[in-house]
Amino acid sequence: MQRIINDPLRVVEDMIEGFVRAHAHIVEKTDNPRVVKAVGTPKQGKVGVVTGGGSGHKPAFIGYVGRNMCDAVAIGEVFASPSAQIFFDAFKAADGGAGVACLYGNYAGDNMNVKLARRMAEKAGIRVETVIANDDVASAPKTEREKRRGVAGEVLMWKVAGAKAASGAPLEEVIRVAQKVMDNTRSIGVGLTSCTIPAAGKPNFHIEPGKMEVGIGHHGEPGVAVMDLQPADEIARLCLERILPDLPFERGDEVVALVSGLGATPVMELYITYRKLHDLLGEAGLKVAHAYVGNYFTSLEMMGVTVTLMKVDDELKELVAAESECMGLTQFKHA
Amino acid sequence: MLVGLIDTIDANGALLSEIDGATGDGDHGINMTKGVRRTREVLGNREVTTSEGLEMLGNVLLTEIGGAMGPLYGSFFNEMGGACRDAEFTDKETFGRMLDAAVEVMTDLGGAKVGDKTMMDALLPAHEAYRAALADDADFPTALRRMADAAEQGKESTRNLVAKLGRASRLGERSRGTLDAGAVSCTLILKSLADTLGGGSSGNA
């Protein structure tokens, strides 16, 4: 395992320290070493937006804490949900007296820890509502959407909900738009190589050279199908083939497209993928309102790409267009 | 009992991670080992009651080990500890109550049933076997042995199951053919408890 780390059992501690030093004008530490918050948090009267999850997915989750984005993050070990205590402390850090929106991904650990943390918050008089991301079409059939895992679609959820909360909206409204994002977003991932958790020291699965895994997970789980490696254009086509009918996206719809690398993918290759994606979207009668291409939700050093599509109306378009400042997504309004 | 538990889990860390790697992300052993070593640290050289020890282990897992196993095993040990708080010593009735409490919280929190390919495939049959033994008026060691055997069988049954919950459930048919890591660790734990309380050896995982 060739990595740039110190003690493999302290990668998260070391990362947090490096992160808050590098981005000191955006984020700061809290009393809990596994909770980081946006500078200026909490803002009294503003809904607190919290997210959390395992480390190893940067920029997710800590990279989305900032202006008009998330207010606090619960940081777990690599690929492991943060404990209930950490989520609870994140709720407390973000709470400005107007309630907390906890927006996170659908994984067994996160579900249980958030559940327990909400009970703790209730006892402490903090109102916490949740929206659970479930945009990955590969992880369960359409009829069992509630079982699907949350992947890159979460980034759009934080963007939209972060902007809504910053505008002074009440908790119900922040939750409503976050849920609207998940109801209108679908994703899928294709993986070329697996990854290694530093503390484990070796990859736990292997993709044969010349093959690719469709429906890859973000934690080193194998995908649901293995095929021969295809050119980028075919990968783009394959992804849309699975995403478009799932919502379904229809001719005339406006969409936000998000293509993310998985950590080891040359960014050049993400743009090569997007080239064809853009064409295919046009052929399907879909207009791209905004495109994001880059590393938005990764998995350590996995090679691969994820494609996310969100159907937007005027409300979602406006919230997506809002300015934001955080390590993972800094955006300005166009003139 | 606590030291026995800690030692058992610590000794099997690599095995648990390997099994977990087949259908998950391979960190079950790491997390469990971290949790029990931390508990060893917190315990130090102190003498604690069974109840205190179990709650200590439960709290460490709950607060320091996230993932799915932190809340599940954390609640498991916490509830067990709570159920024997007022008991002078752990007899067969007390242990029955401890098992009842643990099963209830696990069902409430995780929602898994027999056949889902989770730790519950070991725990639920083990609980049933223990209760049945008590109803049969079996003595404590016998009841514990039946519980351990049922856990072992339940664990083995997970090999041919398709996972319905947790990370492995994303794999569909590809999750068949390997044991569930949670069922393996749960069986280790129940066997360790049976060994310590029953005064005999129930074999290895």
Side-chain angles (χ1 to χ4, degrees):
Chain A
M1 179 179 76
Q2 298 255 81
R3 303 297 271 265
I4 303 176
I5 58 178
N6 301 311
D7 177 355
L9 296 176
R10 291 193 58 83
V11 288
V12 173
E13 284 81 2
D14 287 354
M15 173 277 291
I16 294 173
E17 192 58 46
F19 194 98
V20 300
R21 288 178 188 183
H23 302 297
H25 66 292
I26 303 178
V27 298
E28 59 192 12
K29 292 185 188 179
T30 67
D31 287 334
N32 188 322
R34 291 301 180 90
V35 174
V36 161
K37 66 178 183 178
V39 164
T41 299
K43 279 200 178 65
Q44 289 311 314
K46 180 180 110 62
V47 167
V49 179
V50 168
T51 186
S55 295
H57 301 298
K58 260 160 222 57
F61 297 76
I62 192 176
Y64 294 107
V65 173
R67 191 168 62 86
N68 296 350
M69 298 290 290
C70 299
D71 296 301
V73 62
I75 303 167
E77 279 302 320
V78 175
F79 293 176
S81 170
S83 70
Q85 182 68 46
I86 297 171
F87 270 112
F88 174 54
D89 286 345
F91 298 158
K92 279 196 288 185
D95 176 39
V100 167
C102 181
L103 314 175
Y104 70 99
N106 191 20
Y107 295 91
D110 297 311
N111 282 328
M112 283 187 277
N113 286 306
V114 169
K115 186 175 183 175
L116 291 173
R118 286 182 75 190
R119 288 183 195 165
M120 293 158 82
E122 201 182 356
K123 286 202 185 117
I126 302 174
R127 187 174 159 212
V128 179
E129 301 291 341
T130 62
V131 175
I132 307 174
N134 61 340
D135 50 305
D136 174 51
V137 305
S139 38
K142 199 168 162 182
T143 47
E144 292 174 38
R145 266 190 61 219
E146 72 287 351
K147 291 192 177 160
R148 290 174 164 176
R149 59 195 167 210
V151 292
E154 289 185 62
V155 178
L156 299 176
M157 175 167 68
W158 299 319
K159 179 89 185 51
V160 162
K164 191 71 175 171
S167 76
L171 183 57
E172 297 75 31
E173 279 291 288
V174 174
I175 294 295
R176 182 183 63 77
V177 298
Q179 189 60 59
K180 189 173 182 179
V181 169
M182 294 329 304
D183 290 343
N184 288 283
T185 300
R186 299 291 188 274
S187 304
I188 190 162
V190 172
L192 269 45
T193 67
S194 101
C195 58
T196 299
I197 301 173
K202 58 179 177 66
N204 66 294
F205 76 103
H206 178 68
I207 302 178
E208 285 299 316
K211 297 284 189 193
M212 62 184 196
E213 297 253 2
V214 180
I216 198 101
H218 276 87
H219 302 95
E221 316 101 303
V224 290
V226 185
M227 337 180 152
D228 287 337
L229 178 56
Q230 302 292 314
D233 285 3
E234 183 53 27
I235 290 177
R237 198 194 62 75
L238 214 142
C239 287
L240 283 188
E241 202 174 59
R242 282 157 201 254
I243 291 179
L244 294 183
D246 197 275
L247 185 58
F249 292 87
E250 288 161 336
R251 300 203 79 83
D253 283 350
E254 262 194 286
V255 294
V256 166
L258 188 150
V259 170
S260 181
L262 287 176
T265 318
V267 175
M268 186 159 112
E269 293 174 23
L270 304 177
Y271 284 106
I272 293 172
T273 308
Y274 184 74
R275 183 192 79 96
K276 188 62 177 178
L277 203 74
H278 192 95
D279 276 344
L280 293 172
L281 289 171
E283 280 167 36
L286 301 172
K287 177 161 180 266
V288 178
H290 197 114
Y292 294 99
V293 180
N295 285 310
Y296 288 100
F297 204 113
T298 64
S299 178
L300 289 175
E301 83 284 21
M302 239 165 43
M303 244 292 254
V305 65
T306 68
V307 174
T308 297
L309 225 55
M310 172 169 74
K311 177 173 155 182
V312 292
D313 59 5
D314 287 340
E315 177 180 45
L316 288 179
K317 258 199 300 186
E318 198 190 321
L319 291 166
V320 168
E323 292 202 345
S324 65
E325 185 184 8
C326 61
M327 166 261 179
L329 206 171
T330 291
Q331 186 174 307
F332 302 99
K333 276 189 123 54
H334 295 282
Chain B
M1 185 203 311
L2 185 61
V3 171
L5 269 175
I6 291 174
D7 287 343
T8 300
I9 294 173
D10 201 354
N12 284 281
L15 169 73
L16 291 174
S17 273
E18 194 182 318
I19 293 176
D20 187 36
T23 54
D25 61 8
D27 67 352
H28 186 46
I30 299 167
N31 290 335
M32 292 303 282
T33 309
K34 188 170 173 187
V36 299
R37 284 184 187 173
R38 179 76 187 116
T39 307
R40 209 186 256 138
E41 262 172 50
V42 170
L43 181 62
N45 286 321
R46 280 185 288 161
E47 287 281 320
V48 292
T49 65
T50 302
S51 172
E52 285 168 349
L54 288 169
E55 282 182 332
M56 192 181 291
L57 177 55
N59 281 329
V60 165
L61 294 174
L62 259 180
T63 55
E64 304 201 18
I65 307 300
M69 288 319 206
L72 283 170
Y73 277 130
S75 304
F76 177 92
F77 289 118
N78 245 340
E79 290 297 312
M80 281 205 140
C84 63
R85 206 177 288 146
D86 297 323
E88 254 204 71
F89 50 86
T90 310
D91 59 12
K92 69 178 185 181
E93 305 300 339
T94 307
F95 189 72
R97 284 197 300 278
M98 287 161 71
L99 264 188
D100 290 344
V103 166
E104 197 183 320
V105 79
M106 302 285 266
T107 310
D108 171 56
L109 197 55
K113 304 178 301 295
V114 166
D116 285 345
K117 189 168 179 142
T118 69
M119 64 208 309
M120 300 307 264
D121 279 297
L123 181 61
L124 291 174
H127 179 229
E128 221 183 284
Y130 187 85
R131 277 281 161 220
L134 251 53
D136 257 355
D137 216 22
D139 65 14
F140 198 14
T142 307
L144 288 171
R145 213 173 333 131
R146 290 191 195 165
M147 174 190 78
D149 288 346
E152 176 66 34
Q153 276 177 33
K155 173 195 85 175
E156 276 306 317
S157 80
T158 65
R159 196 183 294 278
N160 285 320
L161 292 174
V162 169
K164 304 267 182 16
L165 284 180
R167 194 153 288 159
S169 68
R170 299 325 178 5
L171 300 180
E173 272 300 320
R174 291 169 79 184
S175 63
R176 207 192 285 272
T178 50
L179 296 175
D180 173 68
V184 174
S185 57
C186 190
T187 304
L188 281 170
I189 287 167
L190 289 172
K191 280 183 168 170
S192 176
L193 289 169
D195 282 347
T196 336
L197 294 169
S201 177
S202 305
N204 303 313

